[in-house]
Amino acid sequence: MKFLASTLVPKHSTGLDQQALSRRDRFRELVDLARWAEDIGYDAFGVGERHNPTLLSSAPAVILSHIAARTSRIRLVTTVAVLSLTDPVRAAEDYATLDHLSGGRLDLIIGKGGDRVAPTVFDIDESELWDRLEEAYELLRRLWREDDVTWQGRFRPPLTAATIEPRPLQQPAPRVWHGSATSRRSTELAARWGDPLYSANGLGRTDSYLDLVRHYRERLTHHGHNADDALVAVGVHSPIITDRSQDALEIARPIFEASVREHFSHRDSFPFDSLEDFVENGSALVGTPDQITDKLLRMQAAFGNQVFGVGVEGFFSTYTTDLATTKGYLERFFGEVAPVLRAEIPTALWNPEPDVELPVTA
């Protein structure tokens, strides 16, 4: 089993009772967090693209390029890159450059995007986003693999004998995952190309995400790919780990309630009746190390995933006292939970390739 850290870079990282950081200091904190994630045992670090005034993650290629210069081993991932809003030529160039600067450590996760603010910023009709994503990805694939690309689509000017530089360092081209949260359009697109799937598992019930993963495997077979070889990643929230389960629930309850109040003005729009329901039927990790280990093993048996995306800044971590508290839980996770999962579910994904990696200056 491999583990992916992810963040949308909220402006406020250290809890509601803490003084807000400047943007400059917040970015410095983020880079330090990525270095810490590499040291503690994460296999990959992800930054999601959002164009929202509450977040600082509008330029993941730039952020990850700087993190590449401050790390040496950890994979660098977009969680997700909103390709439906981006010129695919520009995206192909930016992420190929990042692949070189990182020594071949890029994995690209793409998606339509779920932030309703972003289409208004780019003056794009929301109804076009899926079609834009599919068209942009097809062109990006060709630009990463072919010279002299001649192409015509609906959403950008045509190309005639176009070749981009640089092409990615990784050959064949870097792995592209498809972010999946709510629609079969994402699982169908991933299956058509035989690409890996990242099941976001955010604030929905586990069964809804599992239905999408099952559809993905069915469609892989339909398109002539081997579903048994499918790569799947599954997201979960940052953990709250204590020696006694009742203590973990006591810590999590006010955090859960504050998060629901802020993000769901109408409680009916939130699919969980209680914290206990969220822990039992959602992606919350709250309990003892043994309880969290058992939950993740059950999830893996259902999803068949090789990666768990364990958040470092999200639903629970936003409302903890400080970032050190979240780090403490994660250090315990990597000391007591992750070793069991790694032993039970071995995978060759993201194993180091010395002939690809380049020296990095701290």
Side-chain angles (χ1 to χ4, degrees):
M1 180 59 64
K2 303 294 185 179
F3 297 95
L4 162 67
S6 61
T7 177
L8 295 175
V9 199
K11 285 183 179 178
H12 304 285
S13 67
T14 53
L16 294 181
D17 58 342
Q18 302 296 306
Q19 184 175 358
L21 297 175
S22 68
R23 293 174 180 83
R24 179 185 183 187
D25 288 342
R26 180 69 184 100
F27 279 123
R28 287 179 171 176
E29 181 183 66
L30 175 66
V31 174
D32 289 343
L33 185 64
R35 297 181 68 179
W36 171 86
E38 180 174 72
D39 291 341
I40 201 63
Y42 274 107
D43 302 283
F45 191 87
V47 174
E49 179 182 350
R50 293 292 189 275
H51 302 273
N52 187 308
T54 67
L55 305 168
L56 297 176
S57 54
S58 59
V62 177
I63 296 171
L64 290 172
S65 290
H66 186 63
I67 290 173
R70 303 298 302 277
T71 57
S72 59
R73 172 192 59 81
I74 203 163
R75 299 292 296 186
L76 303 171
V77 184
T78 57
T79 52
V80 301
V82 187
L83 205 57
S84 57
L85 301 176
T86 308
D87 184 330
V89 177
R90 178 80 268 179
E93 293 170 338
D94 285 349
Y95 286 111
T97 301
L98 169 57
D99 195 44
H100 278 272
L101 292 174
S102 66
R105 288 187 278 147
L106 171 68
D107 273 55
L108 193 66
I109 304 179
I110 64 169
K112 172 188 74 71
D115 192 331
R116 300 183 73 90
V117 175
T120 64
V121 173
F122 287 88
D123 193 25
I124 289 175
D125 189 332
E126 191 172 352
S127 67
E128 296 178 347
L129 292 178
W130 281 114
D131 292 340
R132 285 177 174 272
L133 172 66
E134 292 174 3
E135 178 179 292
Y137 179 49
E138 182 174 356
L139 178 54
L140 181 143
R141 283 181 60 88
R142 291 190 61 189
L143 291 169
W144 272 4
R145 291 165 171 80
E146 303 174 26
D147 293 328
D148 301 325
V149 173
T150 297
W151 173 92
Q152 184 166 351
R154 291 173 55 197
F155 301 111
R156 78 168 316 279
L159 298 177
T160 301
T163 300
I164 70 160
E165 282 292 346
R167 295 272 280 277
L169 175 61
Q170 295 177 81
Q171 294 296 327
R175 188 180 293 107
V176 178
W177 305 67
H178 297 253
S180 170
T182 59
S183 173
R184 289 188 172 191
R185 292 285 295 265
S186 59
T187 50
E188 174 65 29
L189 184 61
R192 184 196 313 168
W193 295 106
D195 290 335
L197 190 76
Y198 182 84
S199 179
N201 277 39
L203 298 175
R205 299 182 78 83
T206 300
D207 285 348
S208 65
Y209 298 108
L210 186 55
D211 284 344
L212 287 168
V213 173
R214 288 170 175 160
H215 175 260
Y216 163 65
R217 286 198 163 91
E218 291 169 2
R219 299 304 293 173
L220 277 171
T221 301
H222 172 81
H223 288 291
H225 305 291
N226 187 350
D228 292 336
D229 295 335
L231 286 176
V232 176
V234 172
V236 291
H237 291 286
S238 54
I240 294 177
I241 302 178
T242 59
D243 290 335
R244 302 191 312 162
S245 59
Q246 57 266 45
D247 293 338
L249 289 168
E250 183 178 349
I251 294 167
R253 196 171 308 281
I255 302 170
F256 171 83
E257 292 173 353
S259 294
V260 172
R261 280 196 305 272
E262 175 164 344
H263 298 293
F264 297 92
S265 56
H266 299 289
R267 185 60 183 266
D268 291 344
S269 64
F270 189 62
F272 300 101
D273 297 330
S274 64
L275 171 61
E276 286 78 4
D277 188 18
F278 190 26
V279 173
E280 180 64 25
N281 298 300
S283 52
L285 301 183
V286 179
T288 67
D290 286 345
Q291 288 174 323
I292 291 173
T293 301
D294 290 344
K295 174 174 180 171
L296 292 177
L297 287 172
R298 291 195 306 272
M299 289 183 69
Q300 197 281 330
F303 283 90
N305 57 300
Q306 298 86 357
V307 179
F308 273 117
V310 183
V312 291
E313 296 180 318
F315 190 89
F316 283 115
S317 60
T318 301
Y319 293 91
T320 53
T321 302
D322 53 34
L323 186 58
T325 302
T326 298
K327 285 182 174 180
Y329 294 137
L330 286 165
E331 287 168 357
R332 189 162 185 184
F333 178 90
F334 278 100
E336 300 179 51
V337 177
V340 178
L341 294 168
R342 291 193 194 279
E344 291 284 336
I345 310 155
T347 175
L349 176 69
W350 294 337
N351 283 350
E353 300 179 18
D355 57 324
V356 173
E357 293 187 3
L358 300 177
V360 176
T361 303

